[in-house]
C-alpha cells in the first residue's frame, strides 16, 4: 500500500468527499493515484471512494475539511476541492485580474508512484470569453525555472476579443512551458504549462510530455466521439478508385484535346499542338495557351511564371490571421446570414451642433479638459434617443426579446490589430466631457491592444463613424450580434438651402446617418421613430443638456 493511500485510509477527516461537491462546468480536485494519471470531471464524479482508496465506513464525510470555492457566472468560474490535512500540499490556483464570464480552466494535480513525478499542477488554456474556443500565446513574461508569486503575470493570451494577461495566485516555480511564445490555435483546456512548489522539482520535468488521456476525460463530448470516428475510415477509401480511373483516361488516349478556337489559331500560325501544355480541364488546350506560346516564342522568354501543371502563377504574400480577425469575420458572417437587416437613412443639419461644440471646446480648453468631438455628441444623441425609444435598445433571444434598461453604446475603433468596439456604459447618464474622456481613453487602449473584456462586453447599441476620419458620405454597417441596431455616421457637407423667393438661399452643413435594424426586433416604424428622435437631438443640441 502506498504511503499516500495509507494516509487517507487512517484519516478520519477524509470521507464522503462527494457530498461537498456540486455540479459545475469546471471542477478541480486533489486526489492520490497509483497509476500517475490525473482526473478531472464534473460534480460528484470527482472524489469517489474507490479512487481515494476508501471503502465501507471509511468512506464518510470530510465536509469540514473540504472547502468548495465558486464564483458566479459574472466572475471567474472556479471550483476547488482543498484539503486541510496535515502535510498536504496547497493546491495552486490560476486567476485573472478581470471579471470574465463563463471562464473554464483545466488545472489538474496528480501524485504518482509510477512516473515518480513530484506534486505538480497542469495549467490549461482558459476560456476568457463566451465565444472563445481556442487562443494564442502572445508571449510569456516568465520563463522556465522562474519563481512566481500571487498577482504576477505569467503570460499574455490572445483571445477572440483582445490580448489578456493571465496571472498567478499562489507561489511556485514554472517547471515546464508546453506552448511557447507565438503558439497558435490552442484549444480551451489544453495544457500550456506545469508549475511546482519546490525549486528542486523543476529538473524532473525537463522531458515532461503531456498525455492525451487527461484531456479526454475532461471533454464533455467523450461518449459521442468514438461513435463518430468509426464510420469515417470505412468510407474514406471508396472514392479513391473512381478518381484514379477518371484520371487515367486522358493519359491512355493519344488524342490531343483542344478547343476549336485553339485549333484554328494553331493552324494559322503553324504551331503543333503536341508542343503545348493545356491549362484547361483535363489538360485541354485553350486559345490562351496558344497565345502564350506565340508570345513566348517571339520574345524568347516566358511571359508568365508557370507551375508544374503549366498553370500561370501570380505573385502574392499570405498574411496570418489573428484570433481577433478570425472571430470578427465569423461573427459578421453569422450576422449577415441570420439577421434580417434593413436600412434607414436620414440627413441631419449640424450647423447648431458645430456651434455648440465650438463653445464647449473653448470652455474645455480653459479648464484643461479633453476636447469634445462630433462623435462624442453623436454618442450622447444616440443614448438619449434609445432612452426615448427603448424598443431599439433590445436583443433577439430566439424565444423572447430582451429589452435592456442600461444604455451601453459601443464605439467602433479601427486599429492595426483589427476592429475593436469598446463600450461607453450608461452613456445617457454621462456628460459630454465624461464621454469624451472615456472614448479617447478606450480608443488608445484599443490601439495599444490592451483592452480588457469589461471594456468591450455588455454593449446594447453600436456607433460606427467613417465620416469624420475618412470622409465617407454614407454607408451601411453590419449589426453586431446580439444587438439589434447600429448607426453608420457619414461626413458633413455644405449644401444649398432654398429660401422663400427665387433668389433667396442659404448654406447649411448636413450629415448623413444610416440605421441598420434587425427586423426581428425593430419594425420599420419603430426604426423611423428612433431616427426622428436622434435627428431632433442633433439639430437642437441644447436639448441634450437638459
Amino acid at each position: 500500500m502506498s504511503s499516500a493511500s495509507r494516509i487517507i485510509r487512517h484519516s478520519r477527516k477524509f470521507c464522503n468527499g462527494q457530498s461537498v461537491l456540486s455540479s459545475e462546468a469546471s471542477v478541480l480536485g486533489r486526489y492520490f493515484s497509483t497509476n500517475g494519471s490525473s482526473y478531472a470531471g464534473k460534480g460528484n464524479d470527482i472524489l469517489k471512494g474507490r479512487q481515494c482508496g476508501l471503502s465501507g465506513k471509511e468512506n464518510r464525510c470530510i465536509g469540514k475539511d473540504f472547502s468548495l470555492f465558486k464564483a458566479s457566472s459574472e466572475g471567474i468560474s472556479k471550483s476547488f476541492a482543498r484539503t486541510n490535512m496535515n502535510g498536504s500540499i496547497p493546491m495552486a490556483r490560476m486567476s485573472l485580474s478581470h471579471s470574465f464570464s463563463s471562464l473554464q480552466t483545466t488545472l489538474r494535480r496528480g501524485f504518482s508512484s509510477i512516473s515518480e513525478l513530484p506534486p505538480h499542477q497542469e495549467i490549461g488554456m482558459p476560456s476568457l470569453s463566451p465565444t472563445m474556443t481556442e487562443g494564442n500565446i502572445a508571449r510569456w513574461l516568465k520563463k522556465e525555472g522562474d519563481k512566481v508569486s500571487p498577482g504576477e503575470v505569467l503570460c499574455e493570451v490572445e483571445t477572440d476579443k483582445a490580448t489578456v494577461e493571465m496571472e498567478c495566485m499562489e507561489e511556485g516555480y514554472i517547471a515546464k512551458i508546453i506552448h511557447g511564445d507565438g503558439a497558435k490555435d490552442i484549444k480551451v483546456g489544453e495544457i500550456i504549462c506545469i508549475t511546482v512548489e519546490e525549486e528542486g522539482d523543476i529538473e524532473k520535468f525537463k522531458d515532461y510530455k503531456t498525455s492525451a488521456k487527461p484531456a479526454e476525460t475532461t471533454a464533455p463530448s467523450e461518449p459521442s466521439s468514438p461513435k463518430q470516428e468509426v464510420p469515417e475510415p470505412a468510407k474514406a477509401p471508396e472514392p479513391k478508385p473512381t478518381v484514379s480511373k477518371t484520371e487515367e483516361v486522358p493519359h491512355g488516349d493519344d488524342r490531343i484535346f483542344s478547343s476549336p478556337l485553339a485549333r484554328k489559331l494553331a493552324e494559322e500560325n503553324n504551331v503543333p499542338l503536341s508542343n503545348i501544355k493545356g491549362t484547361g480541364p483535363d489538360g485541354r488546350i485553350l486559345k490562351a495557351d496558344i497565345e502564350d506560346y506565340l508570345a513566348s516564342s517571339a520574345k524568347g522568354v516566358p511571359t508568365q511564371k508557370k507551375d508544374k501543371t503549366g498553370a500561370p502563377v501570380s505573385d502574392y504574400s499570405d498574411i496570418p490571421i489573428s484570433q481577433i480577425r478570425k472571430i470578427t469575420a465569423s461573427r459578421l458572417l453569422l450576422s449577415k446570414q441570420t439577421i434580417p437587416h434593413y436600412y434607414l437613412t436620414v440627413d441631419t443639419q449640424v450647423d447648431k451642433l458645430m456651434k455648440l461644440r465650438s463653445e464647449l471646446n473653448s470652455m474645455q480648453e480653459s479648464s484643461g479638459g479633453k476636447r469634445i468631438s462630433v462623435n462624442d455628441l453623436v454618442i450622447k444623441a444616440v443614448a438619449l434617443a434609445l432612452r426615448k425609444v427603448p424598443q431599439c435598445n433590445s436583443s433577439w433571444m430566439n424565444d423572447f426579446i430582451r429589452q435592456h434598461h442600461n444604455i451601453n453604446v459601443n464605439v467602433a475603433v479601427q486599429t492595426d490589430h483589427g476592429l475593436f468596439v469598446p463600450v461607453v456604459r450608461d452613456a445617457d447618464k454621462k456628460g459630454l466631457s465624461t464621454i469624451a474622456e472615456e472614448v479617447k481613453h478606450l480608443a488608445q487602449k484599443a490601439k495599444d491592444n490592451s483592452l480588457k473584456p469589461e471594456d468591450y462586453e455588455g454593449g446594447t447599441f453600436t456607433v460606427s463613424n467613417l465620416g469624420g476620419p475618412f470622409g465617407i458620405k454614407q454607408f451601411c454597417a453590419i449589426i453586431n450580434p446580439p444587438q439589434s441596431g447600429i448607426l453608420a455616421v457619414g461626413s458633413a457637407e455644405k449644401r444649398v438651402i432654398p429660401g422663400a423667393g427665387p433668389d433667396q438661399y442659404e448654406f447649411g452643413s448636413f450629415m448623413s446617418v444610416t440605421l441598420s435594424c434587425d427586423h426581428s426586433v425593430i419594425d420599420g416604424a419603430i426604426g423611423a421613430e428612433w431616427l426622428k428622435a436622434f435627428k431632433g437631438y442633433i439639430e437642437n443640441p441644447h436639448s441634450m443638456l437638459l
Side-chain angles (χ1 to χ4, degrees):
M1 182 186 298
S2 64
S3 60
S5 60
R6 187 181 298 111
I7 292 174
I8 296 178
R9 181 176 292 277
H10 293 86
S11 174
R12 296 181 179 178
K13 297 180 178 180
F14 283 80
C15 31
N16 283 347
Q18 57 264 44
S19 62
V20 297
L21 297 176
S22 60
S23 297
E24 290 290 327
S26 176
V27 181
L28 312 179
R30 165 173 297 169
Y31 67 97
F32 296 83
S33 171
T34 58
N35 57 9
S37 65
S38 302
Y39 181 85
K42 291 184 178 180
N44 295 334
D45 294 333
I46 288 296
L47 295 178
K48 292 185 178 179
R50 61 175 181 271
Q51 290 171 322
C52 295
L54 305 179
S55 62
K57 297 181 179 180
E58 296 168 328
N59 186 13
R60 290 184 183 157
C61 180
I62 50 173
K64 294 182 179 180
D65 295 294
F66 265 81
S67 56
L68 191 63
F69 297 85
K70 304 176 185 176
S72 65
S73 60
E74 297 178 355
I76 304 177
S77 176
K78 303 181 289 186
S79 296
F80 295 85
R82 163 172 295 184
T83 68
N84 293 332
M85 181 186 65
N86 292 333
S88 65
I89 301 176
M91 175 176 294
R93 304 190 299 273
M94 189 283 297
S95 171
L96 299 175
S97 60
H98 321 304
S99 177
F100 302 142
S101 60
S102 301
L103 172 61
Q104 298 179 353
T105 60
T106 303
L107 306 178
R108 297 185 293 272
R109 161 166 298 185
F111 295 80
S112 173
S113 59
I114 296 178
S115 61
E116 297 184 354
L117 288 177
H120 61 278
Q121 180 178 338
E122 298 173 340
I123 299 180
M125 172 64 71
S127 176
L128 304 178
S129 71
T131 58
M132 178 179 174
T133 58
E134 58 186 26
N136 304 335
I137 300 293
R139 61 176 180 137
W140 282 92
L141 301 181
K142 297 290 183 180
K143 60 181 183 296
E144 292 181 1
D146 283 357
K147 183 178 181 180
V148 292
S149 300
E152 289 187 336
V153 179
L154 295 177
C155 64
E156 293 179 351
V157 178
E158 181 183 339
T159 72
D160 56 341
K161 301 287 187 180
T163 300
V164 183
E165 295 177 343
M166 193 172 82
E167 297 180 357
C168 180
M169 283 194 64
E170 289 192 3
E171 291 188 357
Y173 295 87
I174 296 182
K176 183 72 174 179
I177 293 178
I178 307 300
H179 295 283
D181 292 352
K184 296 184 179 296
D185 302 331
I186 305 172
K187 300 294 183 183
V188 170
E190 187 175 345
I191 300 171
I192 59 175
C193 76
I194 305 295
T195 62
V196 295
E197 295 174 356
E198 301 296 335
E199 187 175 6
D201 295 335
I202 297 176
E203 186 65 24
K204 298 178 182 179
F205 290 86
K206 182 177 181 181
D207 300 324
Y208 179 88
K209 293 183 179 179
T210 58
S211 173
K213 291 183 179 179
E216 290 173 1
T217 55
T218 58
S221 59
E222 179 194 1
S224 60
S225 57
K227 296 180 181 178
Q228 297 174 354
E229 294 175 359
V230 172
E232 291 179 358
K235 294 182 179 179
E238 293 180 1
K240 291 184 179 178
T242 58
V243 174
S244 60
K245 289 180 181 178
T246 55
E247 291 177 351
E248 290 174 0
V249 173
H251 294 292
D253 197 343
D254 293 331
R255 287 183 56 191
I256 298 176
F257 294 90
S258 60
S259 67
L261 288 176
R263 288 196 300 270
K264 181 179 179 181
L265 186 61
E267 291 174 359
E268 291 175 353
N269 294 275
N270 297 323
V271 176
L273 295 177
S274 58
N275 294 344
I276 299 174
K277 183 77 172 179
T279 60
D282 297 327
R284 184 184 181 90
I285 299 174
L286 306 177
K287 179 184 177 182
D289 299 327
I290 306 296
E291 293 173 346
D292 290 344
Y293 180 85
L294 294 173
S296 61
S297 300
K299 295 182 179 180
V301 293
T303 58
Q304 203 171 24
K305 294 182 180 179
K306 305 231 176 175
D307 59 12
K308 294 181 180 179
T309 62
V313 177
S314 57
D315 293 333
Y316 58 85
S317 52
D318 296 329
I319 301 174
I321 301 176
S322 65
Q323 196 72 8
I324 297 169
R325 184 167 293 279
K326 185 187 299 184
I327 297 299
T328 300
S330 64
R331 285 175 60 82
L332 293 180
L333 177 63
L334 178 68
S335 175
K336 286 295 277 186
Q337 289 178 333
T338 61
I339 296 179
H341 285 64
Y342 74 92
Y343 310 96
L344 301 173
T345 302
V346 70
D347 292 335
T348 60
Q349 188 172 356
V350 294
D351 294 284
K352 294 181 180 179
L353 186 80
M354 301 302 289
K355 183 179 179 181
L356 175 63
R357 174 176 175 260
S358 177
E359 294 173 356
L360 293 176
N361 279 336
S362 62
M363 296 172 60
Q364 287 288 94
E365 290 174 359
S366 61
S367 61
K370 299 286 186 181
R371 287 180 60 84
I372 296 172
S373 67
V374 173
N375 202 46
D376 299 330
L377 292 161
V378 168
I379 293 171
K380 182 66 175 180
V382 164
L384 294 176
L386 288 173
R387 184 200 292 176
K388 183 174 287 188
V389 187
Q391 295 94 323
C392 294
N393 195 42
S394 304
S395 299
W396 177 257
M397 307 301 291
N398 293 325
D399 297 329
F400 56 90
I401 294 175
R402 175 172 294 166
Q403 191 171 116
H404 304 282
H405 297 157
N406 289 34
I407 298 175
N408 304 328
V409 181
N410 290 98
V411 183
V413 178
Q414 180 64 40
T415 70
D416 296 336
H417 309 286
L419 181 65
F420 293 88
V421 280
V423 61
V424 179
R425 301 185 184 278
D426 297 319
D428 59 319
K429 302 175 184 177
K430 294 179 178 177
L432 290 169
S433 177
T434 303
I435 291 175
E437 291 180 0
E438 284 193 20
V439 169
K440 288 178 174 60
H441 177 65
L442 291 170
Q444 188 59 46
K445 290 182 70 174
K447 293 176 182 177
D448 296 338
N449 199 23
S450 61
L451 284 174
K452 299 174 183 177
E454 60 264 28
D455 293 331
Y456 51 77
E457 291 181 347
T460 60
F461 194 92
T462 300
V463 172
S464 179
N465 190 341
L466 295 179
F470 304 105
I472 301 300
K473 180 180 178 181
Q474 187 264 336
F475 68 102
C476 298
I478 302 174
I479 296 172
N480 181 26
Q483 299 173 11
S484 59
I486 180 172
L487 186 70
V489 182
S491 61
E493 62 177 0
K494 288 281 188 180
R495 297 180 188 175
V496 176
I497 303 175
D503 297 329
Q504 296 179 356
Y505 61 89
E506 59 183 10
F507 293 96
S509 296
F510 289 84
M511 179 178 69
S512 296
V513 295
T514 300
L515 175 65
S516 303
C517 300
D518 179 357
H519 214 318
S520 303
V521 181
I522 305 174
D523 295 331
I526 300 298
E529 184 181 350
W530 185 90
L531 269 182
K532 180 180 178 181
F534 173 80
K535 181 177 180 179
Y537 285 118
I538 292 294
E539 295 185 346
N540 298 282
H542 289 88
S543 61
M544 291 191 289
L545 306 179
L546 298 177

